[in-house]
Amino acid sequence: MVDGGDNIVEVSWESVSSILQVGGTVIGSARCKSFRTREGRLQAAYNLVQRGITNLCVIGGDGSLTGANLFREEWSGLLEELAQKGKIDEEAVKKYAYLNIVGMVGSIDNDFCGTDMTIGTDSALHRIIEVVDAIMTTAQSHQRTFVLEVMGRHCGYLALVSALACGADWVFIPEYPPEEGWEDSMCVKLSENRARKKRLNIIIVAEGAIDCHNKPITSEKVKDLVVQRLGFDTRVTILGHVQRGGTPSAFDRILASRMGVEAVLALLEATPATPACVVSLSGNQAVRLPLMECVQMTQEVQKAMDEGRFVEAVRLRGRSFENNLNTYKLLSHKKPDAELPKTNFNVAVLNVGAPAAGMNAAVRAAVRVGITEGHKMFAVIDGFEGFARGKIKEISWGDVGGWTGQGGSILGTKRTLPAKYLEKIADQMRTNNINALMVIGGFEAYLGLLELSAAREKYDEFCVPMVMVPATVSNNVPGSDFSIGADTALNTITDTCDRIKQSASGTKRRVFIIETMGGYCGYLANMGALAAGADAAYIFEEQFDIRELQANVEHLTEKMKTSIQRGLVLRNENCNENYTTDFIYQLYSEEGKGVFDCRKNVLGHMQQGGAPSPFDRNFGTKISAKAMQWISKKLKETYRKEEGKVFANTDDSVCLLGMRRRNLVFQPVAELKTETDFVHRIPKEQWWLKLRPLMKILAKYKTSYDVSDSGQLEHVAMHSPKEAETGAI
């Protein structure tokens, strides 16, 4: 902006084609010294006025955004000065009197207050987790201890979440320095783990980690300590700039696309009176926040850390950060048995439905939180069917070690519903004295809970608290915006589409038709299309006819005349019983003769497999820990002292825990019935349908975008400690 010239160019539709899957930034980025001076900003203002630019969308961290805000505040003064120097005329001063600015936070550290996720954070976590998963196999073979240093000079988010996502033994972050004498407690913990036959220890260190006297804790220091005190074979791995690289994850592509739309809407609505704003995400909701409030709060965190007010620093980071920290503390350190409360309650955990990546992380969190709360935890093998056959055993803290990164379902899962086994399941509940049930699964799990609660009249055994945690790649469970496993499946689809696009750009003039899973739910097809930059996505929720298919073919024919000679079309497996994947393939092949040729791909069960993504590990861990805490609360409420047993028969004792917009909410399954289309096994209302037009606009279709859902300007909320327990993820 300061240099001007060829550095400021007008872009066309095609200029930004094929960059969706490219990491980094294709327009380049720099830390600009001259923009810090008034001369630099004067030159930048001149360059913008020359081209009649008065709207800026700034994608960067707090430094860039603070600079942009200052630029906006100085704007009229800069124009006056340019006019005095005779560089621009008075006409231009009037015409370009106001500069509007909107910010998008692009920073892998996720260190910006007011936003749950910054653009790039999820991709950085993908890189870290890939490395940790790879290191785990070597560490396990050699019985080694690994110290991993991740980025985050002032913010421990990456370190904290990757520690949560791989079940690290110890984590060092700047916001939460270890207590005096941490050296001893860490070494005790590492040697205890070895004694428990755990072959590997992983310690994660944020590059800005400090102790309570504000002295740095380096990865080398940690390594030397372990070697000197314990003599363990210890290696250090510094991840460095690997974390900034690679292709963006599905989550980041969708987040950035949604934020891009928000940014344009915010600029269109901006007036000289509105403060410069940042568009960001709170839960699953787009919001706009005053830029300077966010910057000030971000600087407050640093100030609190410098002054040793660490509790305050964690609180200022926001509820999502605080929740991560509390969950990590809950799950990583087992208290000695003598210190654990004893509730005499038995809680069973089972998986129901098709496997989904992240189920194991959820089971691990449930078991460990349950044990911490003083319950005896039982694992049921192979869903309701296994339950009926008595495949149930007590499960301990150590049994679930290392489960977070495992795909599929270790406990085993079946689609069978409980209705035909009620008698046998009731017997097993009685025999094992099960006082509460936690079901982790998809639509079958929801149906299963409905069946069990209906059977309460006949069987007292089912009069216990029951909770469901949604886990299915299809993301078709009512009552929740997201379900465990969907993010991993989305990444698989996106990766495959990237490869297919690459092969298509090599051969030119080729259109690929890709079939995704999801039952009748179009989530994977729709979001996959958004993340992969597809030309169309056929889904059941939005009926289409032959005219639409024809329009799509014509659209692609037009596209082949441009420089982007390839097409990508996604189709949900059940979107239409007659317009099958083969039919669409044949139609496109016939209609495209001489213009493009066609290939088809059915992705199939690879969408259910693979190691869980960081999002699914984290979401599974946090949502499951929360569900377990709810069970403990319900057990206390429904325990009848005089009879010495738990008795719960109200609707609110059978709940589904789901993410709704900004919060995690417990909803009685009975109340969700009205929101469910049972024939097609999908919720009647689905939030992501609002993103349909966005995908079409990005594929160059003329359509209108519903702005009613766009964020309103709000203030950065200082949340109370109470709030961290209620809703946030």
Side-chain angles (χ1 to χ4, degrees), residues 211-327:
D211 64 18
C212 49
H213 305 296
N214 256 332
K215 298 265 186 307
I217 296 178
T218 62
S219 37
E220 279 301 326
K221 181 177 168 182
V222 175
K223 175 199 156 174
D224 295 343
L225 184 76
V226 176
V227 172
Q228 282 160 13
R229 298 246 186 132
L230 300 171
F232 288 175
D233 184 358
T234 308
R235 304 291 157 99
V236 172
T237 301
I238 296 175
L239 291 188
H241 281 76
V242 166
Q243 296 161 82
R244 288 196 187 279
T247 165
S249 66
F251 182 93
D252 268 334
R253 297 181 194 194
I254 292 163
L255 170 68
S257 303
R258 286 172 74 180
M259 294 303 105
V261 177
E262 273 298 317
V264 173
L265 294 176
L267 281 173
L268 291 175
E269 292 166 22
T271 66
T274 49
C277 75
V278 196
V279 294
S280 88
L281 197 65
S282 169
N284 186 27
Q285 175 71 32
V287 292
R288 296 180 197 171
L289 301 161
L291 188 144
M292 281 324 284
E293 281 185 27
C294 296
V295 169
Q296 275 151 5
M297 188 134 149
T298 306
Q299 289 164 351
E300 284 292 313
V301 180
Q302 193 52 49
K303 205 169 136 211
M305 290 185 337
D306 293 343
E307 294 169 10
R309 293 178 287 123
F310 296 107
V311 176
E312 181 74 356
V314 169
R315 198 167 68 89
L316 286 166
R317 274 269 180 251
R319 49 186 205 165
S320 159
F321 188 89
E322 197 167 2
N323 252 344
N324 281 321
L325 185 58
N326 292 338
T327 310

Side-chain angles (χ1 to χ4, degrees), residues 11-218:
V11 285
S12 67
W13 192 272
E14 285 165 47
S15 337
V16 292
S17 219
S18 314
I19 68 171
L20 183 68
Q21 64 268 31
V22 180
T25 162
V26 294
I27 56 174
S29 173
R31 293 205 159 106
C32 176
K33 282 220 175 81
S34 53
F35 194 74
R36 288 173 180 266
T37 65
R38 186 165 167 104
E39 287 68 58
R41 295 193 288 276
L42 193 67
Q43 188 54 45
Y46 174 71
N47 292 333
L48 292 186
V49 171
Q50 286 301 297
R51 294 166 179 78
I53 297 172
T54 54
N55 289 290
L56 276 187
C57 175
V58 183
I59 308 169
D62 56 351
S64 319
L65 297 176
T66 314
N69 194 57
L70 177 65
F71 189 47
R72 181 187 188 209
E73 284 169 359
E74 290 181 348
W75 182 257
S76 51
L78 293 170
L79 294 199
E80 291 294 333
E81 195 175 323
L82 288 169
Q84 278 162 9
K85 291 186 174 167
K87 285 194 161 184
I88 59 173
D89 54 25
E90 282 301 327
E91 187 55 35
V93 177
K94 283 200 194 82
K95 192 174 176 187
Y96 305 123
Y98 300 107
L99 176 70
N100 289 320
I101 279 181
V102 62
M104 284 199 261
V105 195
S107 140
I108 65 165
D109 295 335
N110 200 15
D111 57 356
F112 197 75
C113 290
T115 162
D116 277 359
M117 278 300 254
T118 55
I119 296 165
T121 306
D122 188 66
S123 302
L125 285 171
H126 271 262
R127 296 299 88 77
I128 296 171
I129 294 302
E130 281 158 19
V131 172
V132 174
D133 284 355
I135 278 179
M136 278 189 154
T137 50
T138 134
Q140 228 151 358
S141 318
H142 290 283
Q143 218 173 342
R144 277 196 180 133
T145 298
F146 270 87
V147 180
L148 254 96
E149 184 180 304
V150 300
M151 280 184 164
R153 273 193 314 255
H154 307 293
C155 177
Y157 184 88
L158 289 176
L160 178 56
V161 174
S162 42
L164 246 186
C166 70
D169 296 282
W170 203 274
V171 64
F172 293 97
I173 57 173
E175 292 87 345
Y176 185 75
E179 293 164 5
E180 276 299 358
W182 60 269
E183 296 89 344
D184 301 333
S185 31
M186 182 180 83
C187 292
V188 166
K189 172 148 197 246
L190 296 179
S191 50
E192 271 177 10
N193 278 346
R194 274 294 155 91
R196 284 206 211 110
K197 301 280 188 288
K198 186 178 177 193
R199 291 181 62 90
L200 92 143
N201 298 118
I202 288 202
I203 300 165
I204 294 184
V205 185
E207 57 180 337
I210 45 173
D211 64 18
C212 49
H213 305 296
N214 256 332
K215 298 265 186 307
I217 296 178
T218 62

